[in-house]
Amino acid sequence: MKNTRIGFLTPPGLVASGLTTLIVLAFAVLRGGAMFSPGALNAQVNGNTIGGYASHAEFADQCSLCHVPLWDAAGMSGRCESCHTDIADHRSDPATLHGIIFQMTPDITCQTCHTDHRGPSAGMTEFDSRLFPHFMLGYSLAGHVALPNGSPFTCSDCHGSDITTFDLATCQACHEQLDATFTTVHVLSFGTDCLACHDGIDTFGSDFDHNRFLFDLTGQHIGAPCSTCHLNARTVADLQAAPTDCFSCHAEDDPHEGRFGTDCSACHSTDSWEPVSFDHSLAAFKLEGKHAQVECKSCHVNAVYRGTPMDCYTCHAQDDAHMGSFGTQCGNCHNPAGWLPAFFDHNLSSFPLTGAHVGLACAQCHSGGIYNGLSTDCYSCHAANDAHNGQYGANCAACHTTSGWKPAFFDHNLSGFPLTGAHAGLSCTQCHGGGVFNGLSNACAACHAEPAFHAGLFGLDCASCHSTNAWKPASFNGSHSFPLNHGGGTSCATCHPSGFTTYTCYGCHKHDPNEIQKKHLEKGINDFQNCVSCHPSGHEDDD
C-alpha cells in the first residue's frame, strides 16, 4: 500500500504555516490591531476631554485601551469606567439613570447600549426602548405605546437627540395636536409642568377615581371641572391640599351671610341648593308632634333663624285659653301632639297626688276652673266627709291616708298619752268608749278603778307599783313604817296574808302566845299583839 501524508504536515508545510502566522502577528502589532477592527471609531466631540482624549477616534491604533485579554475579570466595562468615572459613580446610585439600569439588570455591560466602530459620525447609544425600565424614572410609558398615526413611540419623539434630557414643552406641543382646546385650558388651569402631576398611567388623569379618596364626588360635583375645586393647583401636593368643606368653595353662594354657620350639608345636598332639608333633631329645639308639620317661616319669621325663642308662650300666647292664669310654661300641661288631652304633673307642685287622689278628675278639686291659690289641707275638701263632726280637729292625715278612709290609724306617740306595754295592743274602743277621743283623763284610775284588795291604802297612782306590761309583778315604792327588806320576805303577803290593813309577825317569828303574853305582862306591856310598837326595826331584843 502506498504511503500518503497531509501536505501541511510535511516539513515544508509546517515551515510555511509558521512563517505565515508570524507575518500576520507582526502586521497586527505594527498596525495596532486595525486589521481586526469592524470599522472606524466614533469621532464625535462634546467639548470635554477624558484622559486627554476628545473622542474615541483619537486612540484608533490603541485597541488595548478598550479591549482586554480574556482573563481580565473587569472586562471592557471596567475599561469604560476607568475613563468615564462619573458613570462608575452612577452605578451605585439608584437615583440616577445608570444606577436604575444596573439595579434592574446587574449583568448588563456598557457595550449593550453603547457600541462603536460604526463610523466616525454614528451614534454611540442604541438600545431597545421597549425593554428600558422607564417607570423607574417616575414616568411610565404605558400610555405612550403608539403615536396618533399608529406608529410606535421612539425615544427621539420625546427626548430628541439626547435621551438624558427632556423638554416639558414637548408634552404641550404633542397634546395640542391631539386636542388644542383641552390642552390650552388644562395648561391655564394647572401650569406647564406636566410631570408634576402626571406619571404616564393617569393616576391623577382622566381615569382618576375621586371616590377612592376622602372626598366622594356626588350630585353636581361629578360634572364639575377639576379646576373649580383645585384652583391654581400645580403639583400633586396642591391637589391633595384642596379643602373638603362646603364653605371653602361656596362661601360666595351663601345667601344667609354666615348666619347658619359653614356646614352647608346640614340643609343642602350636592344635587342642588333646593329643595332644602334641615334635621331639626340636631338643633337645640327638636321638632315633635305637630311642630314637625309646621312651615319654617311660621316660627322663623322673615327668614330669621338664629336667636328664635324656644319657649312655648312666645309663639302660643294668642292661643292661651287660660289668659295667663297658669303662667307661661305651657309644657307643664300640654305637649306638641296637641292642646288636648292636657296633663299636669302634680308631683311638681306643692301638693303631690297620692293614693285615691291620683285618679280624681281635676274638676273635683279645682271646681270653677280655679287652680291657683287653693288650700292644700284635707279639711278644705273633706269637711263634708267628717264622720267625727270636727271633734278630732281638721288634720285628717293624723288618722287617715290618701289610699282610703279605712283602715284608720292614730299614732298615739304623738299624743299626750303614748301607748306602751299591754296598752299598745288594745282596740281604740276599750279606752275610747262611745267614740269619745278628746278630753279623756290620762290617769290610770280613770280606766283601772282601785281594787278592794288595796283598801284605799295606796291612792290612785297605779304606776307607783305597777307597769303597763302587766299588774304583776308589782313593786311598792311608797312610804312604809317597817323595813321592806326585813327577814328577806319576797312578797307583801308574807307579812300581810289577809290584806294590807293587817299584818303579822308570827308567820316568821313562831312563839308560844302564852309565853309571849307572860313576858310582856311582866314588863308592863299590855299590847303584845302590835309587835312593831316595840320592835320598829325588827331587830329589837326578842326577849
Side-chain angles (χ1 to χ4, degrees):
M1 184 171 110
K2 187 175 180 178
N3 187 18
T4 60
R5 291 181 293 179
I6 300 176
F8 68 86
L9 294 179
T10 62
L14 293 173
V15 172
S17 298
L19 290 173
T20 302
T21 301
L22 290 174
I23 293 170
V24 171
L25 291 174
F27 184 80
V29 171
L30 293 174
R31 295 295 305 274
M35 64 176 294
F36 300 108
S37 175
L41 292 172
N42 187 280
Q44 296 179 3
V45 297
N46 59 6
N48 298 325
T49 59
I50 300 176
Y53 298 98
S55 72
H56 286 183
E58 294 183 9
F59 49 86
D61 295 331
Q62 304 177 62
C63 302
S64 61
L65 292 177
C66 295
H67 296 281
V68 298
L70 295 176
W71 56 83
D72 189 339
M76 287 186 66
S77 292
R79 293 293 177 89
C80 295
E81 292 179 6
S82 64
C83 289
H84 298 282
T85 56
D86 56 336
I87 302 302
D89 294 336
H90 291 175
R91 177 190 284 271
S92 59
D93 185 358
T96 63
L97 172 62
H98 285 91
I100 293 173
I101 294 174
F102 285 124
Q103 183 180 13
M104 295 292 296
T105 54
D107 297 330
I108 197 171
T109 64
C110 300
Q111 294 74 39
T112 303
C113 300
H114 304 289
T115 58
D116 206 338
H117 291 290
R118 298 189 302 162
S121 60
M124 278 293 295
T125 302
E126 183 176 340
F127 61 90
D128 188 349
S129 61
R130 295 173 299 174
L131 303 178
F132 180 68
H134 210 287
F135 67 93
M136 295 290 289
L137 298 176
Y139 192 86
S140 172
L141 297 180
H144 292 77
V145 177
L147 293 168
N149 60 12
S151 62
F153 264 96
T154 64
C155 300
S156 60
D157 289 327
C158 296
H159 295 283
S161 60
D162 185 0
I163 63 170
T164 63
T165 62
F166 176 73
D167 186 357
L168 290 173
T170 305
C171 295
Q172 183 175 348
C174 185
H175 283 276
E176 282 179 345
Q177 298 178 25
L178 298 174
D179 190 338
T181 301
F182 171 81
T183 302
T184 300
V185 173
H186 195 73
V187 168
L188 290 174
S189 299
F190 300 106
T192 59
D193 188 3
C194 305
L195 298 183
C197 298
H198 296 285
D199 55 7
I201 56 175
D202 273 353
T203 298
F204 295 98
S206 59
D207 294 333
F208 176 68
D209 184 2
H210 220 290
N211 295 334
R212 291 172 48 221
F213 293 85
L214 179 65
F215 191 83
D216 293 347
L217 295 185
T218 58
Q220 293 193 16
H221 286 166
I222 295 175
C226 302
S227 58
T228 303
C229 298
H230 300 283
L231 186 62
N232 295 322
R234 293 293 182 265
T235 64
V236 171
D238 292 342
L239 293 173
Q240 295 173 338
T244 57
D245 66 289
C246 308
F247 211 69
S248 294
C249 285
H250 297 292
E252 60 185 21
D253 304 318
D254 180 21
H256 316 297
E257 298 179 348
R259 294 193 304 273
F260 303 149
T262 59
D263 185 11
C264 308
S265 61
C267 301
H268 305 280
S269 72
T270 56
D271 293 328
S272 175
W273 289 113
E274 294 182 356
V276 178
S277 63
F278 178 68
D279 186 356
H280 233 286
S281 61
L282 301 177
F285 188 85
K286 296 174 176 54
L287 297 184
E288 301 173 331
K290 289 189 175 182
H291 286 164
Q293 305 167 10
V294 176
E295 292 187 70
C296 302
K297 62 183 179 180
S298 297
C299 298
H300 300 285
V301 181
N302 298 325
V304 176
Y305 293 85
R306 286 190 175 274
T308 301
M310 293 185 288
D311 68 287
C312 307
Y313 214 70
T314 300
C315 284
H316 296 291
Q318 70 273 13
D319 305 315
D320 181 16
H322 316 295
M323 302 180 67
S325 60
F326 300 150
T328 60
Q329 296 298 320
C330 307
N332 286 342
C333 301
H334 305 280
N335 62 58
W339 290 113
L340 296 174
F343 71 95
F344 177 69
D345 186 357
H346 235 285
N347 293 326
L348 300 177
S349 72
S350 59
F351 190 81
L353 297 184
T354 58
H357 287 166
V358 174
L360 297 178
C362 302
Q364 287 184 260
C365 295
H366 300 281
S367 58
I370 298 175
Y371 291 85
N372 290 331
L374 291 185
S375 173
T376 57
D377 69 278
C378 308
Y379 216 68
S380 62
C381 280
H382 296 292
N385 308 117
D386 181 16
H388 315 297
N389 297 320
Q391 63 175 317
Y392 301 148
N395 185 17
C396 307
C399 299
H400 304 280
T401 69
T402 57
S403 297
W405 290 113
K406 293 182 178 181
F409 72 95
F410 178 70
D411 187 356
H412 235 285
N413 293 327
L414 301 177
S415 71
F417 191 81
L419 297 183
T420 59
H423 287 166
L426 298 177
S427 65
C428 302
T429 56
Q430 285 183 265
C431 295
H432 299 281
V436 177
F437 291 87
N438 288 334
L440 293 184
S441 173
N442 292 342
C444 304
C447 285
H448 304 288
E450 183 181 20
F453 182 76
H454 287 174
L457 295 175
F458 304 118
L460 300 178
D461 186 10
C462 306
S464 63
C465 297
H466 304 280
S467 72
T468 58
N469 292 327
W471 289 114
K472 295 181 179 180
S475 61
F476 179 70
N477 298 318
S479 61
H480 199 278
S481 61
F482 199 78
L484 294 178
N485 60 350
H486 177 71
T490 59
S491 70
C492 301
T494 301
C495 296
H496 302 280
S498 60
F500 293 100
T501 57
T502 62
Y503 69 92
T504 178
C505 297
Y506 297 139
C508 294
H509 300 282
K510 303 295 184 179
H511 298 293
D512 183 351
N514 295 325
E515 184 65 23
I516 292 173
Q517 181 180 11
K518 179 181 177 180
K519 288 183 176 181
H520 282 71
L521 290 174
E522 290 176 352
K523 295 180 178 181
I525 302 173
N526 295 321
D527 185 6
F528 49 83
Q529 296 293 329
N530 187 10
C531 303
V532 295
S533 62
C534 296
H535 306 283
S537 63
H539 296 289
E540 296 292 332
D541 184 6
D542 291 336
D543 294 331

